[in-house]
Amino acid sequence: MKETPQTDSKKLLLVDDDPNLILLVKDYLEFRGYEVLAAENGREALELLEQHTPDMIICDVMMPEMDGYAFIERVREKPQTSWIPFLFLSAKGQSQDRVKGLSKGADVYMVKPFEPEELVAQVESSLQQAKRLMTRSQGTETESTLHVPEGVELTPTELKVVQLVAQGMKNQNIAVQLNVSQRTIESHVSNMLTKTQLKNRTELARWAIESRKA
């Protein structure tokens, strides 16, 4: 008999081309109270994202049609999905593989084979971190309403920057991750504040997080 789901049951998207692994991981996570959607490759996962908004994505790296690297790039470039915590689950365990996965935008990189309890711990940790970031971004302004002009369009680079701002990163750290100067990041933030008519980075982060629900 499966464990009773939590009242605020979280939805996870599991992407892997190994049907046996999908069955095992899906069953284990559902036993722990999570709702799990499954896809066999990145392209199928993107189709699911058109209909569902998971609280976290767990994804293999090497898959047919669209691998994990191509998939996470598509996830991170869209404001509606850029905020979603992302965990790579891969048999590729060399240091350069981990670095590449994290540099592509993954929050966690785990190597197969893995202990199910460790996977659950990583999932729970990532979800708690996302919750803390949302609370932080709202700050003391939770009762106020953000007024942003309709039709605001951000460039692909601005979308990446605002995603990292929403994760609580400082301009200096964002510059290192995107391999540009801090002045360039400050310029992007300034441009976005002008476009959105928001007052500061905190409001910008809050707007980025709230926009994902639209």
Side-chain angles (χ1 to χ4, degrees), residues 54-170:
D55 296 284
M56 185 171 180
I57 296 172
I58 302 170
C59 184
D60 189 18
V61 172
M62 303 305 294
M63 298 179 293
E65 294 193 48
M66 179 183 288
D67 65 13
Y69 296 139
F71 174 56
I72 193 174
E73 287 180 355
R74 296 286 296 275
V75 169
R76 291 298 185 230
E77 72 185 9
K78 294 184 177 182
Q80 299 90 338
T81 58
S82 63
W83 60 274
I84 300 176
F86 197 107
L87 184 153
F88 266 135
L89 194 59
S90 174
K92 297 168 68 67
Q94 297 298 316
S95 176
Q96 59 266 31
D97 298 318
R98 295 174 182 269
V99 170
K100 183 175 181 179
L102 294 173
S103 66
K104 286 288 186 179
D107 301 286
V108 182
Y109 192 105
M110 288 185 63
V111 179
K112 303 175 184 177
F114 58 92
E115 291 294 332
E117 287 295 337
E118 182 183 359
L119 175 61
V120 171
Q122 290 285 10
V123 168
E124 292 177 349
S125 175
S126 296
L127 292 175
Q128 285 297 321
Q129 181 180 19
K131 182 178 180 180
R132 288 194 300 271
L133 290 172
M134 181 179 294
T135 301
R136 175 183 174 182
S137 71
Q138 293 174 341
T140 59
E141 306 172 51
T142 53
E143 296 181 359
S144 63
T145 300
L146 297 179
H147 298 285
V148 176
E150 294 184 6
V152 172
E153 294 186 4
L154 302 183
T155 67
T157 300
E158 287 173 345
L159 287 173
K160 292 180 182 178
V161 172
V162 76
Q163 167 207 329
L164 297 175
V165 169
Q167 292 178 15
M169 291 182 64
K170 297 181 180 179

